[in-house]
Amino acid sequence: MKAFAKAFAALMRNKLMTVSLAAAIASTTAVAVPDIRESLLQIPAFEKVASLLKTWFYTSGEGKIAPGSFESVVCGRCHQDTVAKKKLANVHVPFAAGRCSDCHLPHDPRNNKTRLTVDPKELCSTCHNRQKEKNMPFQHTPFKEGRCMDCHDPHASENIKQLRQPPQALCTSCHNFSKGQEYATKHPPFKLGDCMVCHSPHAAQNMKNTKEPLPDLCFKCHREPAQAMNKAKVKHPPFAQAKCTNCHNPHQTNTERLMKQDLPGLCFQCHNTDRLMGNFTHPMFNVQSPLDGKRVTCVSCHNPHASENERMWRRPKQFLCLGCHQNKSDQPIPGDKLIERRYSEP
């Protein structure tokens, strides 16, 4: 008891040791809980460290089996092409450790038919616990059907996660967004091949396997619309209802801002083409704006997301008009007395 008391006193004097021990105990306890462990493995840095430790455990001899094991040597006599994959960048840990029998049963060498230890649809889940994702409402079809090897090489690959192809090439091998043509405007994550910035490759709580529901997913990058959603007085109904993809294609288009159609076609899907200003149609598309030199379109006057002004005008009405019609600044705008008074008061 005295020895324990002395050790405890020494530990309390050394704050760094105390904090380190507490962190070690907490970490060990947390990792022992399956749900916490699965959450931690979603963090790239943690997953990388865990993978390195697991590889070391098997290949250093601590796991009681090494790459030059009996299994590895015997299987390698015939499966030379498979053994050669150990030189690739990302190697499956059991394969790196020569643990062929973790996944395969022995077979007659005259019949090179692969025999697995369990049903192929369940084999991967014996080590990779994906139960949480299996309970999610939206599941990627290969994952749902247990076809892990459609996307992953079970032995080794040059690509992350042992993918059979680089991420975008793999996704587009099934999900064809190009349809044989090159598009002018591409969403940056899509252009860079980072499909998993927005989508979960296995399962999700949201349609299209998006990692977060709309508009939260979009607002992770598009901060200005996010602020408008919280503060603006007048909001475009599709924007207020989080229907970003009503107007925008999330991958690629031939229009600016990834709009599904060019203006005014996009707006006229909902807004009547016969809308008039007074008794005259406001000229657009063949008129150049004196403000920015661009052609006048619907969004020259209206903010397509949200605004502080009625009808989603970019500025109060009289100031909006006089931005272009400066030669009319000394003339009253009919019917705008109320608006003028509203915005002239302190």
Side-chain angles (χ1 to χ4, degrees):
M1 192 67 180
K2 290 182 179 179
F4 175 79
K6 286 182 179 180
F8 182 76
L11 188 63
M12 293 305 294
R13 284 195 299 270
N14 191 329
K15 293 182 180 179
L16 179 60
M17 184 182 295
T18 304
V19 172
S20 300
L21 180 60
I25 294 172
S27 300
T28 304
T29 304
V31 171
V33 180
D35 286 345
I36 297 177
R37 184 173 63 250
E38 286 298 313
S39 298
L40 288 172
L41 285 172
Q42 302 302 314
I43 304 172
F46 184 90
E47 185 186 32
K48 184 69 175 176
V49 171
S51 178
L52 289 172
L53 287 172
K54 193 190 296 183
T55 303
W56 170 82
F57 178 76
Y58 283 131
T59 59
S60 66
E62 294 297 325
K64 307 306 179 186
I65 194 163
S69 67
F70 173 79
E71 289 182 24
S72 184
V73 172
V74 171
C75 298
R77 288 176 181 173
C78 295
H79 303 283
Q80 296 176 3
D81 291 346
T82 302
V83 172
K85 288 186 174 183
K86 288 188 177 181
K87 297 179 181 179
L88 299 179
N90 294 282
V91 184
H92 196 198
V93 171
F95 175 60
R99 300 173 62 98
C100 307
S101 60
D102 278 10
C103 302
H104 298 279
L105 293 171
H107 61 89
D108 188 332
R110 293 170 296 182
N111 178 6
N112 199 26
K113 186 176 180 179
T114 300
R115 299 178 64 198
L116 300 174
T117 53
V118 297
D119 186 298
K121 294 180 180 180
E122 302 298 330
L123 179 62
C124 299
S125 61
T126 58
C127 292
H128 303 280
N129 180 11
R130 296 291 181 181
Q131 191 57 47
K132 185 177 180 180
E133 290 172 309
K134 287 181 179 180
N135 293 331
M136 290 182 177
F138 299 95
Q139 298 182 24
H140 194 200
T141 302
F143 174 76
K144 184 177 182 180
E145 297 178 355
R147 295 172 11 224
C148 306
M149 286 178 280
D150 281 12
C151 299
H152 302 276
D153 189 298
H155 297 111
S157 169
E158 285 293 344
N159 307 302
I160 59 168
K161 309 286 186 182
Q162 291 162 232
L163 295 176
R164 292 189 178 276
Q165 300 180 63
Q168 188 182 43
L170 181 65
C171 297
T172 55
S173 64
C174 293
H175 305 282
N176 183 5
F177 296 103
S178 296
K179 298 179 181 179
Q181 74 174 95
E182 186 67 25
Y183 289 85
T185 308
K186 297 183 179 182
H187 196 199
F190 178 77
K191 184 177 181 179
L192 295 171
D194 289 339
C195 305
M196 286 178 284
V197 167
C198 299
H199 301 277
S200 171
H202 295 128
Q205 297 289 352
N206 314 295
M207 292 181 63
K208 305 293 184 182
N209 280 23
T210 56
K211 289 187 172 181
E212 295 184 52
L214 299 183
D216 296 342
L217 181 69
C218 302
F219 288 169
K220 287 178 70 176
C221 296
H222 302 283
R223 302 294 173 83
E224 189 174 334
Q227 293 173 355
M229 176 67 85
N230 294 326
K231 297 179 180 179
K233 294 178 181 177
V234 185
K235 300 169 186 176
H236 196 198
F239 176 70
Q241 296 163 14
K243 296 179 179 178
C244 308
T245 54
N246 277 18
C247 299
H248 301 279
N249 186 306
H251 297 115
Q252 57 183 357
T253 67
N254 278 324
T255 59
E256 61 179 332
R257 303 285 182 180
L258 289 167
M259 293 185 297
K260 286 191 169 181
Q261 287 187 45
D262 234 331
L263 298 178
L266 181 66
C267 301
F268 288 162
Q269 285 187 93
C270 299
H271 300 282
N272 191 336
T273 58
D274 296 328
R275 295 288 292 273
L276 302 176
M277 292 184 65
N279 294 319
F280 303 94
T281 302
H282 194 275
M284 290 195 297
F285 306 106
N286 59 346
V287 178
Q288 189 180 58
S289 169
L291 297 177
D292 56 16
K294 297 180 179 179
R295 62 177 185 146
V296 175
T297 66
C298 308
V299 296
S300 298
C301 298
H302 302 277
N303 189 309
H305 295 123
S307 171
E308 291 298 309
N309 309 301
E310 58 182 310
R311 297 195 179 278
M312 294 174 60
W313 289 319
R314 290 188 176 275
R315 292 189 290 172
K317 184 175 179 180
Q318 81 279 21
F319 300 122
L320 176 71
C321 299
L322 295 177
C324 293
H325 303 285
Q326 294 178 3
N327 60 328
K328 305 292 185 180
S329 60
D330 58 338
Q331 300 179 21
I333 303 175
D336 274 359
K337 294 298 181 184
L338 178 61
I339 295 176
E340 288 176 8
R341 185 168 62 254
R342 183 187 311 163
Y343 288 102
S344 61
E345 295 173 352

